[in-house]
Amino acid sequence: MKKGDKIIYFTTPIYYVNSYPHLGHAYTTIIVDGLCRFYRLKNYEVFFLTGTDEHGDKIVKAASERGKGPQAFVDEVAKAFKEAWDYLGLTYNRFIRTTSSEHKKTVQYVLQTLYDKGEFYLDEYEGNYCFGCERFLTSKELDERGFCRDHQRPPVYLKEKNYFFNLEKYRGWLKDYLSKEDLIYPSFYKEEVLNLLEEPLPPLCISRPKSRLSWGIELPFDPEYVTYVWFDALINYLSGIGYPEDPRWQVYWERAHHVIAKDILKPHAIYWPIMLKALGLPLYKKLYVHGYWLMQKLKMSKSLGNVVDPIEVSQRYGKDALRYFLFREMAFGYDADFDYAQFITRYNADLANDFGNLVFRTLNLVEKYFQGRVPAYGPLTSEDLNYRKVVEETLEKYLKLFEAWQFHLALEELWQAIRFSNVYIDRMAPWKEAKEGRLERAGTILRNLLSALKSFALALWPVMPDTSQKLLSSLSLEINTLSFEEALNWEFPPEGSLIYKGAPLFPRIELPKETTTSEETKMAEERKEVYSIEEFRKWDFRIGKIIHAERIEGTDKLLKLEVLCPEKRQIVSGIAQYYKPEELINREVMLVLNLKPTKIRGVLSEGMLLAAHDERGLTLIVPEREVTPGAKVS
């Protein structure tokens, strides 16, 4: 690949400023920030565009409710968005505002170009107008009461002259293009768009009369109108890179990747491609669509009082803890629940116990036995080489999964290596080697671990940049001088480099202890019973491989699993609150097979998964390495 080819352009939506930043806005922008950091570590030139959408009916209404004019109001809210992204450390290249003179100029250029091509026509239209959607609705978009399905309000019947864009003219082309091209990810959103394209597309009203709405960009060919807010907003993806005057706009546009939430799929997957086609411009490279963050299965909304403030969460638990949870908890494309109990469980289990503890133990031992300097390697044992192999294979899988937008699976893969690192340090016991005078052996173990920590820090920089920088600084390394090429280099950090232990990266979050119930006391007493080896041998413990997993309707806790052990069995397991179905595919687990088959919620279960449960949550018991499905556990 030529150096000039290593360029990538990412965009978030520009956020509508009728309200202040919330978790949904933060998720999209943090994901894009993580991807930009990822590609920078792959030595790409990255352009990251975000910003605010500042015109339309809802802006005027929100400003009026606060006793302000539209410009003063959008200035205030746009500033809040920018300050939020700066506080969260997001590395955007440009923060664009649709009220800027540069953007207005580009929008008017596009409008005039399409008007001159004959794409717009003036017509009188009457119909149901939703001020929440800021457009006319079709009958299919109304519920049985005649209300807008999205805003749960009755639309207003309007009759007025406006300019229209004939979308139907391009429906056949777009349908054919989407059928052949891999434009939308995940693919089920592509199918959703193709289903919409089965029906004729109504004309898109691209104007609003100034007599009703003056807060917008004036049509260059008719001063009595302003343009429709979506027509204005979508063009930011071009104006933000200097279209049409900056000669480099095309370099970025050929590599444009849009990231959005599923509620704005239609404008991005139908309106925007047709606008580009009409302009004679190539389509963007890819459209990535994520689901909603929910609270107790409900979409967040101000009226329900369940909106999560990302700044508040960051100030309470840390910016990187929030970023980790967002990347780890949502399978990109699907909805996910934001649950504070699960947040704390993940924090304590993954960050404080697994990762933070590994870092602190390793650096502490180097400080204690090697005067805070990277020790030299001695001869490597088979255990050392196997440890390297596990770390290398895991990192390679992590990088592939991350680049494939499977962030939750990538992090689970990486945590396998982090957990194995804890197993390695426990088994090798470098403190014991040092105490017994075998400093060379202790140094080799710790040098291996220091290099692995460097690799973990590099891998995690897109997800937890502050933590990665702290860890790299503790190893006398700087992120600006490194790339993913150094992730598998076991000579980094170099011998003799200073190591700084510092404070624990993630202090545990202590929760109030609950009073022990009589049932728990009874269970504790039952655990004191002992059994003979003959009784133990009656149980058939085996390793199984999960090949299919799905939720059982009507329950939040149960999953239906198909497991090879080696025959195929169906097992119902109450682990849905801890594992998503897609996380379990190809996972090897420990099973009890000689239980009497039973039905749970009407679904047959032919065995039981074994798991451990403590104050940090539930974790499946898995073999240390891959074994043959059906292997007996003894």
Side-chain angles (χ1 to χ4, degrees):
M1 181 182 286
K2 297 177 183 177
K3 185 178 180 182
D5 290 335
K6 296 193 77 170
I7 298 170
I8 197 161
Y9 171 35
F10 282 110
T11 73
T12 71
I14 48 173
Y15 301 112
Y16 207 44
V17 294
N18 62 325
S19 63
Y20 289 82
H22 57 63
L23 187 74
H25 302 129
Y27 173 75
T28 315
T29 319
I30 286 170
I31 289 294
V32 173
D33 180 73
L35 284 156
C36 289
R37 292 173 185 272
F38 179 86
Y39 278 96
R40 289 185 192 115
L41 279 176
K42 288 169 67 73
N43 296 315
Y44 273 68
E45 178 190 340
V46 176
F47 195 93
F48 172 8
L49 179 70
T50 190
T52 44
D53 181 6
E54 303 179 12
H55 292 124
D57 288 311
K58 287 189 281 190
I59 303 299
V60 175
K61 183 181 178 185
S64 176
E65 288 172 352
R66 291 164 176 80
K68 296 184 178 183
Q71 187 65 59
F73 175 70
V74 298
D75 287 347
E76 177 186 304
V77 183
K79 182 183 178 187
F81 270 91
K82 193 172 188 301
E83 287 178 346
W85 299 164
D86 290 343
Y87 171 79
L88 292 170
L90 307 184
T91 55
Y92 55 85
N93 293 83
R94 183 175 180 187
F95 187 98
I96 190 168
R97 298 181 58 187
T98 58
T99 52
S100 70
S101 58
E102 302 96 327
H103 176 73
K104 289 179 181 178
K105 183 179 177 182
T106 302
V107 170
Q108 290 184 323
Y109 171 83
V110 169
L111 287 165
Q112 188 66 54
T113 300
L114 292 177
Y115 181 76
D116 292 344
K117 285 186 167 189
E119 295 290 352
F120 302 148
Y121 61 93
L122 185 65
D123 196 9
E124 188 169 66
Y125 187 85
E126 54 184 308
N128 293 306
Y129 186 85
C130 174
F131 282 88
C133 296
E134 300 197 59
R135 62 183 177 85
F136 288 98
L137 302 181
T138 65
S139 58
K140 290 184 178 180
E141 293 173 301
L142 304 176
D143 64 17
E144 62 280 358
R145 300 168 298 168
F147 284 23
C148 169
R149 293 183 186 276
D150 289 336
H151 294 94
Q152 291 299 298
R153 294 176 187 169
V156 176
Y157 192 81
L158 290 180
K159 181 179 181 180
E160 61 186 21
K161 278 190 174 182
N162 269 306
Y163 286 90
F164 291 87
F165 182 21
N166 182 11
L167 300 180
E168 177 63 17
K169 172 182 172 182
Y170 294 96
R171 180 169 66 95
W173 160 80
L174 182 57
K175 185 179 175 183
D176 184 60
Y177 186 91
L178 289 178
S179 298
K180 295 176 181 176
E181 299 294 329
D182 188 23
L183 187 71
I184 304 172
Y185 177 86
S187 59
F188 54 81
Y189 288 113
K190 169 182 166 179
E191 297 306 316
E192 185 177 324
V193 175
L194 285 171
N195 286 337
L196 290 173
L197 293 173
E198 288 296 322
E199 301 287 334
L201 292 174
L204 179 65
C205 179
I206 63 99
S207 66
R208 299 292 182 266
K210 282 187 178 179
S211 58
R212 178 163 67 80
L213 174 68
S214 60
W215 182 245
I217 297 176
E218 185 179 285
L219 297 188
F221 47 84
D222 193 333
E224 297 302 314
Y225 290 86
V226 295
T227 193
Y228 169 46
V229 65
W230 266 114
F231 212 91
D232 163 9
L234 290 164
I235 294 169
N236 96 89
Y237 300 131
L238 291 172
S239 64
I241 51 174
Y243 173 84
E245 295 176 351
D246 189 324
R248 275 184 64 79
W249 76 265
Q250 198 163 355
V251 174
Y252 292 120
W253 184 245
E254 290 171 354
R255 300 157 176 86
H257 298 71
H258 299 324
V259 185
I260 63 167
K262 65 182 181 180
D263 58 334
I264 52 175
L265 174 63
K266 185 176 180 179
H268 284 82
I270 295 180
Y271 302 166
W272 186 220
I274 289 176
M275 288 166 63
L276 291 166
K277 177 69 173 175
L279 277 168
L281 297 180
L283 267 59
Y284 47 81
K285 193 84 171 175
K286 198 89 168 180
L287 178 65
Y288 295 95
V289 187
H290 67 76
Y292 293 142
W293 278 99
L294 311 174
M295 283 285 277
Q296 296 178 331
K297 309 300 179 187
L298 297 174
K299 186 180 177 184
M300 293 184 190
S301 73
K302 287 186 291 183
S303 60
L304 291 174
N306 63 352
V307 174
V308 174
D309 180 350
I311 303 302
E312 183 181 310
V313 176
S314 296
Q315 290 171 341
R316 188 173 180 183
Y317 300 110
K319 290 179 274 190
D320 278 2
L322 173 64
R323 288 176 68 110
Y324 177 78
F325 186 80
L326 296 180
F327 273 97
R328 179 65 182 84
E329 199 66 17
M330 178 179 273
F332 191 89
Y334 297 86
D335 294 345
D337 251 344
F338 190 92
D339 179 84
Y340 279 103
Q342 177 66 0
F343 184 101
I344 292 169
T345 296
R346 279 234 181 267
Y347 177 101
N348 282 338
D350 294 2
L351 301 181
N353 286 13
D354 290 340
F355 187 53
N357 190 41
L358 172 68
V359 171
F360 192 76
R361 292 170 76 193
T362 303
L363 301 187
N364 185 53
L365 289 169
V366 173
E367 181 183 272
K368 184 174 182 179
Y369 294 110
F370 295 92
Q371 295 76 51
R373 290 192 177 272
V374 177
Y377 279 121
L380 296 174
T381 66
S382 59
E383 290 92 344
D384 302 329
L385 294 171
N386 180 60
Y387 174 65
R388 287 187 175 190
K389 182 183 177 185
V390 169
V391 171
E392 288 171 2
E393 289 177 350
T394 301
L395 282 169
E396 287 169 358
K397 290 177 185 176
Y398 169 83
L399 295 177
K400 287 178 182 176
L401 287 166
F402 200 98
E403 194 164 17
W405 293 67
Q406 297 187 54
F407 311 119
H408 65 300
L409 296 180
L411 286 168
E412 175 56 29
E413 194 68 45
L414 188 65
W415 247 252
Q416 296 287 356
I418 289 170
R419 294 182 190 115
F420 187 68
S421 297
N422 281 306
V423 172
Y424 174 71
I425 194 172
D426 285 338
R427 286 181 177 172
M428 297 299 102
W431 57 89
K432 182 180 178 183
E433 300 287 349
K435 286 178 182 177
E436 295 178 0
R438 294 184 291 275
L439 276 176
E440 183 183 62
R441 178 65 194 139
T444 300
I445 297 164
L446 291 171
R447 179 77 184 277
N448 238 12
L449 285 161
L450 288 171
S451 187
L453 291 182
K454 168 267 304 172
S455 300
F456 298 151
L458 279 172
L460 285 169
W461 189 64
V463 179
M464 300 193 294
D466 291 349
T467 300
S468 293
Q469 184 59 65
K470 282 181 189 175
L471 178 50
L472 289 170
S473 295
S474 294
L475 303 175
S476 293
L477 297 171
E478 288 295 328
I479 190 68
N480 295 335
T481 65
L482 300 170
S483 71
F484 283 137
E485 292 174 3
E486 282 78 36
L488 301 179
N489 185 344
W490 292 91
E491 297 302 319
F492 274 84
E495 179 186 337
S497 299
L498 281 171
I499 298 298
Y500 307 93
K501 180 176 68 174
L505 293 175
F506 296 100
R508 278 184 59 82
I509 300 171
E510 297 299 337
L511 298 175
K513 292 185 178 179
E514 297 180 3
T515 305
T516 303
T517 64
S518 58
E519 182 64 25
E520 288 170 333
T521 303
K522 181 181 176 183
M523 289 171 65
E525 290 172 352
E526 288 174 352
R527 285 196 292 268
K528 294 177 183 177
E529 294 184 31
V530 294
Y531 299 91
S532 69
I533 190 68
E534 287 75 19
E535 289 173 303
F536 173 78
R537 286 172 178 160
K538 292 178 182 178
W539 294 102
D540 187 10
F541 297 105
R542 293 186 184 269
I543 298 299
K545 187 172 188 176
I546 299 172
I547 58 172
H548 179 75
E550 63 182 71
R551 290 185 178 275
I552 294 177
E553 289 187 14
T555 173
D556 293 333
K557 295 182 179 180
L558 299 179
L559 295 180
K560 182 173 73 173
L561 311 172
E562 286 186 13
V563 186
L564 292 179
C565 51
E567 74 280 4
K568 187 187 294 186
R569 290 205 183 196
Q570 179 172 287
I571 293 176
V572 175
S573 182
I575 59 173
Q577 292 178 312
Y578 301 94
Y579 292 91
K580 295 182 174 66
E582 61 271 16
E583 293 176 346
L584 295 169
I585 305 304
N586 294 323
R587 179 80 67 90
E588 289 193 328
V589 291
M590 187 172 170
L591 308 168
V592 183
L593 292 184
N594 58 341
L595 292 172
K596 184 178 179 180
T598 186
K599 284 192 174 182
I600 303 174
R601 289 290 185 97
V603 180
L604 181 67
S605 183
E606 303 172 294
M608 177 188 290
L609 265 69
L610 295 185
H613 195 288
D614 62 11
E615 73 280 358
R616 294 173 287 160
L618 177 145
T619 185
L620 293 172
I621 297 174
V622 299
E624 183 180 307
R625 62 172 177 81
E626 189 171 342
V627 297
T628 304
K632 191 168 179 62
V633 178
S634 58

